[in-house]
Amino acid sequence: MDGRQSSELAVRYAVGLMSGTSVDGIDAAVVKITGEPGTRPEVSLLAFENTPYPAQVRDEIFALFDVKTATLNRVGRLNMWLGELFAEAALSAITKAGLSPTDIAHIGSHGQTLYHSPVDEMIGGYALRYTVQVGEGSVIAARTGITCVSDFRPADMAVGGQGAPLVPFTEYLLYGEKERTLLLQNIGGIGNMTVLPAGGTAEEVFALDTGPGNMLIDGLVVHWSGGESKMDVGGALASRGQPDEQLLDLLMQEPYYNQSPPKSTGRELFGSAYIERLLGYQQELGLSNKDLIATVTKLTARSIAEAYRCYVMERYPTDLLIVGGGGSYNPVLIGYLQQELEPLGVQVLTQEQLGHNSDAKEAMAFALLADYTMARQPNNLCAVTGAKRPAVMGKVSYPL
Ligand SMILES: Nc1ncnc2c1ncn2[C@@H]1O[C@H](COP(=O)(O)OP(=O)(O)OP(=O)(O)O)[C@@H](O)[C@H]1O
Ligand SMILES: CC(=O)N[C@H]1[C@@H]2OC[C@@H](O2)[C@@H](O)[C@@H]1O[C@H](C)C(=O)O
């Protein structure tokens, strides 16, 4: 079946590609979208694949998070390199779905964020905010023969938004319920929370980045293991430690947590410089590795609870928080979250416990965001990003 014919039938196949702040690989989702483009469509997952990055690529991405090593030639080269890898990931997932590239209407590719600066800087009389995602859409289009939509975030920034988070728009479309307010927490590299008020409109969706997700846990594990381990699998290390409450209180004084929404964050705040600071505190306080990991694991939980207490509890009372993203596989983190939220009357359950797999969610979101781009329909949520007006996000690369 040809992609263009299928879209006339209001049924089309699309691919979503995501590489998140954890840099654990490329997520590729093949989806079937049913419904008129630009309306509230149905999206079903046909295939999902995570392709881990080769060590060389991962090391290069991490090197380019550091503004001192992110030279122009390296950024330009990584942009093309990731374009090649994203194209391969898309083609592999399409095969896994039993489809061929000619069946696919479009690819939506988030790319890899290298830098995100969502707050105005006054430069030359202009208030500038900026964000850098790499993974060249033209390469993806050329290698796959499929139209590719990429680089979504700048269009929201151009109209005064933070350019993040973008997934809440698709959460609203796909999961919003009439009778029940939903509270969703993603714990990837960064944590982000979405509230979908019962029967609410798009303008009523509330979302923000809560702070670190797994980024600090991963950063410490990589440091101590010399890169041998990438994460605290199953929270094994944290489970043997005790959080240091004094350090936790100090870390919670980070101004980001009490900054009013709209707000978004990333490695610029919780990246390598923050890890260095943590290692400094570890020495000062004489903490063991397991106690420091337990402390930052609890910090993630506490910052999520703080966001709930400050911005959600009164306006959107609810009794359930649904957790997704890689952090949901860390039982120590989930346990801390339960300790923080259950006294507030909020039960914490993972998507897995509810019978869903959340691994494909962000990749699926970018397939759907691209569907809106192709229909020239707005796909940002002003209430969430702070944009002054709707925008059609995403740049289109045609294969021919
Ligand atoms: N079995 C596990 N045990 C502990 N932690 C895990 C496990 N599996 C995944 N994680 C954590 O989840 C992280 C990956 O999560 P995810 O893929 O949701 O992040 P991401 O999409 O890259 O980030 P973001 O949503 O911030 O862009 C890993 O880096 C790791 O810290
Ligand atoms: C700039 C950037 O890449 N931000 C990511 C990051 O990872 C989680 C959180 O911080 C969220 O704001 C966003 O990603 C998802 C996909 C989003 O835009 O919704």
Side-chain angles (χ1 to χ4, degrees), residues 294-355:
T295 309
V296 298
T297 304
K298 193 157 183 180
L299 174 67
T300 293
R302 182 151 305 166
S303 56
I304 292 169
E306 183 72 0
Y308 176 74
R309 261 191 299 267
C310 292
Y311 309 112
V312 176
M313 194 162 73
E314 278 181 23
R315 279 170 71 196
Y316 314 100
T318 176
D319 56 6
L320 175 65
L321 177 86
I322 302 171
V323 182
S328 59
Y329 301 117
N330 182 336
V332 179
L333 176 53
I334 298 300
Y336 285 146
L337 204 47
Q338 284 165 339
Q339 278 176 22
E340 296 279 334
L341 286 175
E342 286 182 356
L344 303 177
V346 180
Q347 190 188 8
V348 177
L349 289 178
T350 65
Q351 301 240 18
E352 298 249 310
Q353 285 168 321
L354 294 170

